Amino acid sequence: MAPPPPLFALPPNLVTDDANPPWMNKGDNAWQLTAATLVGLQSVPGLIILYGGAVKKKWAVNSAFMALYAFACVLVCWVCWGFRLSFGDELIPVWGKINVALSQHYLLEPAFLGKFPNATMVFFQFVFAAITLILIAGAVLGRMNFYAWMLFVPLWLTFSYTIGAYTIWSVNGWLSVAGLIDYSGGYVIHLSSGVAGFTAAYWVGPRLTKDRERFPPNNILLMLAGAGLLWMGWTGFNGGDPYAASIDASLAVLNTHVCAATSLLTWLILDILIFGKASVIGAVQGMITGLVCITPAAGVVHGWAAIIMGICSGSIPWFTMMVVHKKSELLQKVDDTMAVFHTHAVAGTLGGVLTGLFANPKLCNLFYGKYGQYVGLFYGFHMKDYHNGFRQIGLQLVGVVFIITVNIISTSLICIVVRLIVPLRMSEEDMEVGDEAAHGEEAYAIWGQGERSENSRFSTYNDMETGEAKAKGHVEMT
């Protein structure tokens, strides 16, 4: 006769075993892997098809391939040394000790935060590192030597990204310990990519003059598909950073989409009022600036603050792109193909500063588990906690200066080193041709079943571009 079941038996799905240790929360682990996959989809295929559709047709393959290569290269570098440099044991207050993240013993241990294994954390943090490099690529599309890009990616990941990630996100990092708020990468990802992209564009040099003057998107619908993946993928981008399927994650997701929608509408209204046309490319840029702006604040601000941040992110980057850019000699000189400086550096800085104003102490407690250390300036006034309020906005500004300085110096040095090995820039002849010169492949078939003309290498592609409209009033991509 079988023994009776125990009086207080756990349901089978809660019973621990070797594959389900007692420290792991299955729900949190499942959400973290899902969030990581959503962020990965922002890059592959999101930014691949956004870049492929947003550039001139002769650069579609090259632009998409730069994104695909970066995604693969970053993953290998990340597990071999990047993750431990960013989140491992402290070497100095801005950098971890180099080590691999490949052994079973390490990957199946609890992560430094959250109730899931290191393997999940390594993958989650990888997709953030990868998208940062892909965003940098947007600034140098249409002329950077692909072999130079192959060298740039691992070098920048190693000597720039890991420094920012450790300093701001690692539990032992200098600015992390000090109390800087960067919920999900406004500094580490967006400000870094905007500044690094602009710096790299300076060293690589501009596109051909005729490409700068006329660079119409080859497929706006494809670009919109990529933008849609980017927007929806931000659910995982910001929703995954509490490292738990928590109420804070829910708030972060809602705030993210509210800010993005508000920013898009603000940009659209400004386009209509100033230029007389509703530009879909402008709407995409407004969407991006909204997503970037809310990223450092997503789970630590109220919904009304997300709307205010959306209004700011839809208007201030619009002003820097449409007005300041046209009057600044430096901004005119540096050829930032996708306007990464405006959409990521300006919007990321704006988000960081507004976080220092709107961060709610109770919401910060949900995220950090510390009440009273993180106090937005406006709440500091309300609570008469002036010291912590001014301290928070000061830390946010220190973070901006730190990330800008690190990325200008590191990106410049990396470009100089790469230039000693291979040219940073394609030859004038190859830039005339584009994809076929760089890769021997083209995005679209010209003849019946995809055959190319024998003389297509020497074509200037002018005939193929006849009839494509240029969106009025926008710089480069816009």
Side-chain angles (χ1 to χ4, degrees):
M1 185 175 182
L7 187 60
F8 299 105
L10 290 171
N13 65 309
L14 295 182
V15 175
T16 61
D17 53 31
D18 289 344
N20 299 280
W23 51 260
M24 187 180 77
N25 183 303
K26 291 184 179 180
D28 290 349
N29 193 42
W31 166 238
Q32 211 63 36
L33 290 169
T34 302
T37 303
L38 287 170
V39 179
L41 289 170
Q42 291 182 292
S43 297
V44 181
L47 284 170
I48 286 179
I49 60 177
L50 190 152
Y51 285 175
V55 297
K56 207 170 187 176
K57 64 164 61 88
K58 71 175 182 178
W59 291 112
V61 171
N62 178 258
S63 301
F65 195 15
M66 286 178 72
L68 181 64
Y69 164 78
F71 194 82
C73 181
V74 168
L75 178 53
V76 175
C77 297
W78 192 245
V79 296
C80 288
W81 65 82
F83 178 77
R84 300 291 282 271
L85 281 175
S86 301
F87 298 99
D89 297 330
E90 179 179 342
L91 177 64
I92 55 176
V94 297
W95 220 9
K97 293 180 181 178
I98 191 167
N99 208 333
V100 299
L102 290 168
S103 70
Q104 171 184 317
H105 175 72
Y106 177 78
L107 292 175
L108 299 185
E109 287 182 343
F112 62 89
L113 288 172
K115 297 176 182 178
F116 45 80
N118 274 323
T120 300
M121 182 65 82
V122 170
F123 180 58
F124 181 75
Q125 294 296 344
F126 147 66
V127 290
F128 284 86
I131 200 171
T132 309
L133 267 299
I134 295 171
L135 292 172
I136 293 173
V140 294
L141 298 179
R143 81 278 197 184
M144 187 171 187
N145 180 359
F146 189 79
Y147 302 108
W149 177 244
M150 291 179 70
L151 295 175
F152 179 91
V153 169
L155 289 172
W156 192 88
L157 173 75
T158 304
F159 296 106
S160 188
Y161 182 84
T162 58
I163 294 174
Y166 188 90
T167 304
I168 292 175
W169 278 347
S170 170
V171 292
N172 297 316
W174 165 48
L175 289 174
S176 173
V177 172
L180 174 76
I181 301 174
D182 186 12
Y183 190 89
S184 196
Y187 290 85
V188 177
I189 296 170
H190 299 296
L191 179 56
S192 293
S193 62
V195 174
F198 188 79
T199 305
Y202 169 83
W203 286 102
V204 173
R207 288 165 290 171
L208 295 175
T209 301
K210 65 180 181 179
D211 281 351
R212 291 196 73 180
E213 292 175 349
R214 191 165 188 273
F215 204 71
N218 71 85
N219 192 326
I220 288 182
L221 295 181
L222 194 64
M223 182 193 75
L224 282 174
L229 284 168
L230 196 64
W231 188 347
M232 290 299 101
W234 230 283
T235 295
F237 199 104
N238 289 347
D241 267 292
Y243 300 141
S246 64
I247 58 173
D248 191 45
S250 300
L251 178 65
V253 170
L254 183 60
N255 280 344
T256 296
H257 296 297
V258 168
C259 184
T262 305
S263 183
L264 185 154
L265 295 174
T266 302
W267 195 296
L268 179 64
I269 290 168
L270 288 171
D271 274 352
I272 293 171
L273 292 176
I274 304 302
F275 301 118
K277 286 190 180 296
S279 167
V280 67
I281 299 175
V284 169
Q285 289 184 319
M287 174 203 83
I288 292 172
T289 56
L291 292 167
V292 169
C293 184
I294 194 62
T295 293
V300 298
V301 298
H302 284 292
W304 57 264
I307 290 179
I308 294 174
M309 293 178 76
I311 294 171
C312 293
S313 63
S315 56
I316 294 175
W318 182 95
F319 180 78
T320 64
M321 186 183 293
M322 303 305 168
V323 179
V324 176
H325 188 107
K326 296 176 182 178
K327 295 182 179 180
S328 168
E329 289 186 14
L330 176 63
L331 294 177
Q332 287 285 332
K333 178 182 177 181
V334 178
D335 181 15
D336 177 3
T337 309
M338 291 287 157
V340 175
F341 176 80
H342 300 285
T343 56
H344 293 274
V346 173
T349 300
L350 179 64
V353 173
L354 292 175
T355 301
L357 298 178
F358 294 126
N360 180 282
K362 292 181 179 180
L363 295 177
C364 288
N365 180 50
L366 291 179
F367 183 58
Y368 291 105
K370 298 177 182 178
Y371 187 82
Q373 179 178 346
Y374 303 91
V375 180
L377 182 59
F378 290 160
Y379 288 94
F381 285 141
H382 178 70
M383 299 162 56
K384 294 184 170 48
D385 187 0
Y386 306 112
H387 171 76
N388 280 326
F390 279 108
R391 182 178 182 275
Q392 192 65 61
I393 194 70
L395 279 172
Q396 302 302 113
L397 293 172
V398 168
V400 170
V401 174
F402 175 78
I403 289 294
I404 290 174
T405 303
V406 166
N407 280 280
I408 290 175
I409 294 172
S410 62
T411 306
S412 295
L413 291 175
I414 290 166
C415 287
I416 291 169
V417 170
V418 171
R419 189 171 62 179
L420 296 175
I421 303 170
V422 294
L424 286 173
R425 179 183 168 88
M426 295 172 66
S427 68
E428 298 284 322
E429 180 187 14
D430 285 348
M431 285 194 289
E432 288 282 354
V433 178
D435 286 339
E436 193 180 347
H439 307 290
E441 298 162 327
E442 296 177 6
Y444 303 105
I446 301 172
W447 305 100
Q449 299 300 319
E451 303 94 337
R452 293 196 299 271
S453 166
E454 291 181 2
N455 296 323
S456 64
R457 172 171 169 75
F458 306 101
S459 169
T460 60
Y461 292 81
N462 287 337
D463 293 339
M464 291 186 290
E465 287 151 13
T466 303
E468 290 181 302
K470 182 180 180 182
K472 295 182 179 179
H474 288 270
V475 178
E476 307 306 327
M477 172 186 172
T478 53

